[in-house]
Amino acid sequence: MALKPWAAALSGALLAVAAFAHHGFDAAKPQHTPEGFRNVTGAQVAKPLSWLLRWRWEAWRAGLPPAARQPTPVVPPQLELLQARQPSATWIGHATVLVQSGGLNILTDPVFSERASPVGFAGPRRSQPPGIALADLPPIDVVLISHNHYDHLDQTSVVQLNARSGGRTLFLVPLGIKAFLEREGITHVVELDWWDVHRVQGVEFHFVPVQHWSARGLDDRMETLWGGWCVFAPDLRWYFSGDAGYSRHFADTRERLGAHARDGLLFDLALLSIGAYEPRWFMREQHMDPADAVQAHRDLGARRSIGVHWGTFELTDEALDQPPLDLAAARQASGLPEEAFGVLPIGGTWRPAGAPGPAPKQ
């Protein structure tokens, strides 16, 4: 997610301790620079301050974002069924998803705090509580971090997850983020570069390129890496985009990891960002809109996609409830069947066809 206006206003005074040290520079890799990292697509993703100010001025003048017409749907989580560790994905909110595959409980970009912000008294506030409270989660084996923006890497949440497991939870993170976690007392951490793979109990975790950027303050832009995750387990092959603008990386991922495909499809499930996309002149390079996400679904070769990164935090100029409406329109325009790409309610669980236990209406 782009540096939020609230964070931009507060970061100069409050984020001196949040700097990340760039390390692991490899001149042979195009995403590496001596100062940090870059997008290899040439897109201008990290916008200058003048663009940010223009966006906020225009949004204020137009009274954006509009109020949501209806609240984000919420259902009670099926906590007992989640104890079985059968293949599934449960939307907790925003980009936080509990995925069960290969007998592991895996959590993406955990944010359980009230605000996606460097401080607790200001910044984007949740529109509803997490679909599963952190204390009610099953034991978490692996946490996947896509990048270091506040709505994807929440300091309080990762510290609590680490404490809850007595340090047994493994954190898989992009280059540059390990030092931040270690300063918080989290030591069971593995850093990955694009196309690196780490295996846990026979499950493969591939860190793959996406078009985005990183920063937590005003002086650490692009110092840590960003990316998506491909997870290949015998019972579920799945993808998590984190934050991403549409780019050739989705097609490249399918081509490079094609050996994992079955019946012409690489993934059983893709978790794709569909929110925080307006205005397009500011957000296009860093965040997909639903039409972009439909194309990413096709590029990746996914049997089923679920839209995430919407309906939780008010971050950009579209209403909180607009992304699913735009997704339905984009799906229809592309001729994609409804069952191929949809959304879940907060707390809702998706299971593959034939999986045990009742699945909620999706």
Side-chain angles (χ1 to χ4, degrees), residues 18 76 80 83 90 157 254 284 331 340:
E80 291 186 6
Q83 298 301 319
T90 301
S157 297
R254 183 178 187 177
R284 182 180 304 278
R331 189 178 57 224

Side-chain angles (χ1 to χ4, degrees), residues 191-272:
E191 279 188 331
L192 287 85
D193 200 351
W194 287 350
W195 303 119
D196 285 349
V197 59
H198 185 79
R199 292 171 177 84
V200 180
Q201 298 180 23
V203 178
E204 292 187 8
F205 294 84
H206 296 250
F207 189 56
V208 297
V210 301
Q211 182 175 283
H212 198 56
W213 64 295
S214 66
R216 284 175 83 82
L218 296 178
D219 60 353
D220 64 340
R221 184 174 291 194
M222 316 294 269
E223 288 185 3
T224 67
L225 194 55
W226 54 90
W229 290 96
C230 303
V231 182
F232 297 108
D235 56 358
L236 189 67
R237 300 161 302 143
W238 57 281
Y239 175 90
F240 171 58
S241 69
D243 268 350
Y246 179 76
S247 74
R248 68 173 190 263
H249 289 313
F250 300 110
D252 289 346
T253 294
R254 183 178 187 177
E255 180 178 359
R256 184 149 177 169
L257 301 179
H260 293 272
R262 300 175 194 159
D263 302 324
L265 296 175
L266 183 56
F267 297 106
D268 303 305
L269 176 68
L271 304 170
L272 297 175

Side-chain angles (χ1 to χ4, degrees), residues 110 145 153-163 171 181 186:
I145 302 296
L153 175 54
D154 177 59
Q155 178 180 357
T156 300
S157 297
V158 295
V159 168
Q160 290 178 349
L161 286 164
N162 182 67
F171 289 77
L181 294 181
I186 302 171

Side-chain angles (χ1 to χ4, degrees), residues 85 104-106 137-144 158-172 185-190 198 200-201:
R85 294 181 182 247
L104 299 174
N105 290 325
I106 305 162
L137 289 169
I140 300 301
D141 301 295
V142 180
V143 168
L144 301 181
V158 295
V159 168
Q160 290 178 349
L161 286 164
N162 182 67
R164 185 172 180 262
S165 70
R168 289 184 296 274
T169 298
L170 172 64
F171 289 77
L172 298 182
I186 302 171
T187 59
H188 195 191
V189 184
V190 174
H198 185 79
V200 180
Q201 298 180 23

